Amino acid sequence: MSDRSARWTRATVYPDMWADPEDDPRSDGPAPDGELGSLQDCLANYRMTLLMKCEGLDAEQLARRSVPPSTMSLLGLLRHLAEVERDWRNWLGRGDPLPKLYGRRDADFDGAAPEQAVVEAAYRDLEREQAATDEALAAHPHLGERVGEDGIAIRELLVHRVEEYARHCGHADFLRERVDGRVGQ
């Protein structure tokens, strides 16, 4: 008897993919022109990928720390990225930073309890924080503009956002596979 789930995918066209091309919500035509559009499109795709990796799971599965001894879970990743979105807005200004969304350090992962209310709050928090960061960045359309106390370029901030989601989508791949065996892109 093994505690490992059998590997599986819903894809039938390409067995190493999450979904068939016609079912992939990230396939909406050609990539946008320009650097800003490309960065935003890449970020949107990674955001959607993270949500796809979480789809169809219940609260217990989302909160499961499926790669011990790591404290990561898919629910923890949702909460962490909401926290990170909030923190990125701190890079834009020079005033007092926004308070941590979940309080103390690591509370995003530590507080990822297998409760439906926690799951629903995590999705709401992530959506709200993403929208607030998108709105704050829309006020700075020039990628070379330097902002905040550290004088970070908007381009660098956008690249960091893409990198953060890409890295955590890699984590989500392993976490999801350990939860129920589903694999793909």
Side-chain angles (χ1 to χ4, degrees):
M1 180 76 120
S2 173
D3 65 346
R4 292 189 342 189
S5 300
R7 299 178 87 219
W8 66 281
T9 180
R10 284 201 180 116
T12 59
V13 177
Y14 303 107
D16 61 337
M17 301 300 277
W18 185 259
D20 287 328
E22 66 273 3
D23 298 326
D24 191 340
R26 297 165 310 157
S27 302
D28 60 352
D33 292 329
E35 185 178 6
L36 178 59
S38 293
L39 288 167
Q40 290 170 330
D41 187 58
C42 194
L43 177 62
N45 283 333
Y46 280 121
R47 284 174 168 176
M48 196 175 304
T49 297
L50 178 67
L51 295 177
M52 290 167 66
K53 291 292 179 173
C54 295
E55 74 184 10
L57 299 178
D58 62 29
E60 185 281 322
Q61 290 171 311
L62 286 168
R64 189 180 304 163
R65 295 175 176 181
S66 59
V67 188
S70 173
T71 61
M72 276 191 196
S73 65
L74 291 165
L75 178 57
L77 286 178
L78 294 171
R79 291 166 50 96
H80 172 70
L81 286 163
E83 190 77 74
V84 169
E85 288 282 357
R86 175 173 281 220
D87 188 51
W88 280 321
R89 291 197 309 282
N90 290 329
W91 294 13
L92 295 172
R94 295 182 183 271
D96 290 334
L98 294 166
K100 287 191 127 336
L101 187 60
Y102 301 110
R104 65 177 174 69
R105 181 185 167 131
D106 293 332
D108 40 6
F109 289 105
D110 293 341
E115 301 165 11
Q116 191 59 36
V118 175
V119 170
E120 291 168 6
Y123 280 110
R124 278 193 313 271
D125 291 345
L126 181 59
E127 184 177 356
R128 182 191 64 245
E129 296 301 320
Q130 287 173 339
T133 304
D134 291 347
E135 182 180 344
L137 280 167
H140 304 279
H142 302 290
L143 295 177
E145 179 185 355
R146 296 201 170 268
V147 296
E149 291 182 12
D150 295 332
I152 189 170
I154 294 297
R155 174 183 293 105
E156 186 177 354
L157 182 57
L158 288 169
V159 168
H160 276 302
R161 290 175 83 199
V162 170
E163 178 270 338
E164 183 87 10
Y165 277 90
R167 184 164 48 94
H168 288 311
C169 280
H171 296 135
D173 286 342
F174 290 119
L175 292 164
R176 178 63 188 252
E177 184 175 353
R178 289 290 296 160
V179 167
D180 73 348
R182 188 165 180 192
V183 297
Q185 70 227 60

